[in-house]
């Protein structure tokens, strides 16, 4: 088992450094000498970090208090520098939301987030409305309507349960910037029926 707070301080700091590296790698206009020196430093870091590797992916592991943690998750993983990362908040009424800044690493059309990145974020946030501790839910369908391009920068993502029908949770949500909605979504999330113990 891992101490989640230790993982946050050690691996979280590493992921944040790599996240900054990804951003500056995209935006740098440094000369060839600086790029060559940076490449050598990155290669050295890869060599050091490759000394001990886990087999396969991180998956889900329990923390010392028994809570599951998905540190490799592409959207919330503290070890994953590709993750924006999202911190999903839950209101008393079950609605969920997150605020995140989408930088250069998420660009599709110039100056805007890639539509697939928007879909992935909405899938996660809508899914969070259906996923409860000890009761996972998986995406059945996800329908999106792109109202307009989502500019890079700060956005708010929110979702709520529309209705529940047996193992199906129907959720609605959106991405918005300071000018309003950019993407609307509806999803159906399935809670698997567990076999009797």
């Amino acid at each position: 088992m891992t101490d989640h707070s230790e993982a946050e301080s050690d691996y979280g700091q590493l992921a944040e450094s790599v996240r900054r590296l990804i951003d500056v790698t995209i935006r740098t206009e440094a000369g060839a000498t600086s790029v060559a020196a940076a490449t050598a430093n990155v290669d050295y870091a890869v060599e050091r970090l490759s000394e001990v590797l886990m087999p396969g992916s991180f998956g889900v592991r329990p923390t010392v208090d028994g809570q599951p943690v998905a540190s490799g998750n592409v959207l919330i993983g503290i070890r994953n520098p590709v993750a924006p990362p999202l911190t999903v908040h839950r209101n008393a009424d079950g609605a969920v939301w997150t605020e995140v800044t989408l930088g250069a690493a998420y660009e599709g059309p110039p100056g805007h987030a890639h539509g697939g990145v928007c879909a992935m974020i909405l899938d996660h946030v809508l899914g969070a409305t259906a996923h409860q501790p000890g009761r996972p839910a998986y995406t059945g369908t996800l329908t999106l309507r792109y109202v307009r391009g989502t500019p890079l920068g700060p956005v708010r993502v929110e979702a709520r349960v529309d209705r529940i029908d047996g193992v199906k949770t129907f959720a609605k949500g959106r991405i918005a910037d300071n000018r309003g909605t950019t993407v609307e979504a509806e999803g159906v999330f399935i809670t698997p029926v567990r076999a009797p113990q």
Side-chain angles (χ1 to χ4, degrees):
M1 288 192 221
T2 1
D3 181 338
H4 189 56
S5 60
E6 282 181 26
E8 282 183 337
S9 65
D10 297 338
Y11 298 114
Q13 288 176 17
L14 173 62
E16 181 54 37
S17 291
V18 176
R19 197 172 289 121
R20 291 194 310 271
L21 176 64
I22 290 169
D23 182 72
V24 299
T25 298
I26 295 167
R27 299 187 306 115
T28 187
E29 294 185 334
T33 303
S34 294
V35 170
T39 300
N41 286 332
V42 170
D43 289 344
Y44 174 73
V46 169
E47 188 177 315
R48 289 289 306 272
L49 293 171
S50 297
E51 290 172 1
V52 180
L53 293 175
M54 67 182 72
S57 66
F58 188 90
V60 176
R61 299 180 186 182
T63 60
V64 291
D65 62 359
Q67 296 301 308
V69 62
S71 293
N73 184 284
V74 70
L75 288 171
I76 61 170
I78 60 169
R79 287 183 177 225
N80 193 336
V82 175
L86 300 183
T87 301
V88 179
H89 306 276
R90 186 175 300 276
N91 294 340
D93 64 359
V96 298
W97 61 275
T98 187
E99 291 177 342
V100 64
T101 298
L102 299 175
Y106 306 103
E107 188 173 53
H112 291 78
H114 192 288
V117 170
C118 294
M120 181 170 59
I121 291 171
L122 281 162
D123 178 44
H124 187 87
V125 176
L126 267 71
T129 67
H131 187 92
Q132 302 294 327
R135 185 179 163 264
Y138 302 97
T139 309
T141 61
L142 184 67
T143 305
L144 303 171
R145 187 171 82 83
Y146 293 90
V147 178
R148 62 183 170 86
T150 302
L152 293 176
V155 296
R156 180 178 172 95
V157 189
E158 50 196 26
R160 62 178 173 75
V161 171
D162 185 47
R163 70 186 191 281
I164 298 173
D165 183 4
V167 297
K168 296 179 181 178
T169 299
F170 296 79
K172 293 184 177 183
R174 71 182 191 134
I175 296 177
D177 65 2
N178 60 3
R179 291 176 42 222
T181 300
T182 63
V183 187
E184 296 173 339
E186 294 184 6
V188 180
F189 297 86
I190 312 297
T191 300
V193 179
R194 298 180 189 272
Q197 299 293 322

